[in-house]
Amino acid sequence: MRQKLFSFMMINLGAFLVSINVHFFLSPNNLATGGVSGLSIIMNDLFPDFSIGTFMILVNLILFAVGFVFLGSGFGAKTIYASFALSFYVWALEKFAPMAHPLSDDLLIQLIIGQCIAATGMAIVFNQQASTGGTDIIAMIFNKYLNIEVGRGVLLADLSIALSSAILFGPQVGMYAFFGVIINGLVIDYALQQFNSNKEIVIISHHSDEIKTYIVHELGKGATIHTATGAFTSDKKEVITTILCRKDFTKLKGYITQVDNKAFITVHTMNEILGQNFKRLA
């Protein structure tokens, strides 16, 4: 129950961060940097009687209906909730904190700061095995029927929206929108790496029994043991391989320094780990 509550809070935090970017940075500058928010900014300019938050709710309803038709009931409850939470937060900010003018005359700095805030929020949502919906659904349809990779499909959908903004708001705003799409992808990748910063540690030590015991009983983690032969000495050695988060690795390094300061250790940063106690394969 505690895990579900934490996940619920993190999804709401991530959606709120994205809504801050939409309301305070993108909307006042007509920056349609892809996604449902970008499409809603364009629709709001064409039909100003409806707010951006209202358009986001309507577009999400349409996209989920299309998704159910073409993809079946393959959407997770978290994704549905996150997409509508984002729409609600944008609507609430429009109602209680209306923006009459942009925060600054410097369009570039607003774009960079806003996209960094939004990308961090999206990474938080992704880390909870959810997404904010929108162009992800279009990308999944492209993947199923046109065999286009999901990541490339998202990029194509977002770039199409950015192109529409260039036609509607002028080439300068359109170029900034294109740049915003690129920033968003880069910051999301970086933020996800920080959330999932696991390391593969390979240890060769004459005190391998003590180190194995510490990993299993003190850190509560698993390890794999290999037998290796030294190239120069031909001595048989135990090689310990384990995967730890940054905090546990710091503890392990401190322990190894105490028991064997001549141990040989190599560390590799892992981009993605699937299976067992890590991310599920499907």
Side-chain angles (χ1 to χ4, degrees):
M1 189 63 185
R2 183 179 299 175
Q3 183 72 24
K4 290 181 178 180
L5 180 60
F6 176 77
S7 180
F8 173 78
M9 292 173 62
M10 294 305 290
I11 289 174
N12 277 277
L13 173 61
F16 184 67
L17 289 176
V18 178
S19 72
I20 288 175
N21 177 46
V22 174
H23 180 66
F24 290 105
F25 297 96
L26 298 184
S27 175
N29 294 289
N30 293 323
L31 288 170
T33 56
V36 169
S37 60
L39 183 58
S40 298
I41 289 171
I42 292 172
M43 296 297 291
N44 173 253
D45 186 76
L46 296 173
F47 305 99
D49 291 338
F50 297 93
S51 68
I52 292 174
T54 302
F55 273 120
M56 289 181 69
I57 294 172
L58 293 174
V59 172
N60 272 317
L61 285 171
I62 293 170
L63 285 175
F64 278 117
V66 171
F68 277 116
V69 170
F70 288 97
L71 301 172
S73 56
F75 305 111
K78 288 182 178 180
T79 293
I80 296 174
Y81 175 78
S83 63
F84 285 107
L86 170 58
S87 304
F88 171 77
Y89 285 134
V90 172
W91 174 84
L93 287 173
E94 288 177 322
K95 187 173 181 62
F96 298 107
M99 290 287 293
H101 304 285
L103 294 174
S104 166
D105 293 330
D106 192 332
L107 188 59
L108 180 60
I109 194 65
Q110 291 182 83
L111 176 67
I112 293 173
I113 293 174
Q115 289 299 95
C116 287
I117 293 172
T120 302
M122 292 178 70
I124 291 173
V125 174
F126 290 155
N127 197 51
Q128 300 303 315
Q129 284 75 56
S131 79
T132 53
T135 49
D136 296 355
I137 298 172
I138 299 173
M140 291 166 67
I141 294 173
F142 284 168
N143 176 255
K144 181 175 181 179
Y145 292 97
L146 301 177
N147 201 28
I148 298 175
E149 295 179 4
V150 173
R152 188 172 297 176
V154 171
L155 182 61
L156 287 173
D158 288 345
L159 289 178
S160 299
I161 294 171
L163 177 61
S164 300
S165 74
I167 297 171
L168 192 62
F169 302 120
Q172 181 177 355
V173 173
M175 286 188 289
Y176 276 115
F178 272 101
F179 184 52
V181 172
I182 296 170
I183 293 175
N184 199 52
L186 292 175
V187 178
I188 287 174
D189 287 344
Y190 175 77
L192 283 173
Q193 287 177 9
Q194 303 312 304
F195 285 127
N196 302 303
S197 181
N198 290 300
K199 299 180 182 297
E200 180 189 48
I201 300 104
V202 180
I203 308 160
I204 300 176
S205 169
H206 293 296
H207 296 266
S208 61
D209 287 339
E210 293 100 309
I211 294 172
K212 284 186 292 186
T213 300
Y214 183 82
I215 292 171
V216 173
H217 295 290
E218 295 297 326
L219 299 180
K221 305 296 182 181
T224 302
I225 311 302
H226 304 279
T227 301
T229 304
F232 289 103
T233 62
S234 298
D235 291 341
K236 298 290 184 182
K237 302 176 181 179
E238 274 193 347
V239 180
I240 305 171
T241 302
T242 186
I243 296 174
L244 302 174
C245 66
R246 187 180 302 172
K247 181 180 178 182
D248 286 339
F249 171 59
T250 301
K251 293 179 182 177
L252 177 63
K253 187 165 59 173
Y255 177 77
I256 294 175
T257 301
Q258 294 176 5
V259 299
D260 184 9
N261 59 11
K262 295 183 179 179
F264 181 78
I265 305 171
T266 58
V267 182
H268 310 92
T269 299
M270 312 304 290
N271 291 325
E272 187 172 25
I273 304 171
L274 304 174
Q276 293 192 350
N277 295 324
F278 297 94
K279 188 187 297 184
R280 295 193 305 176
L281 288 168

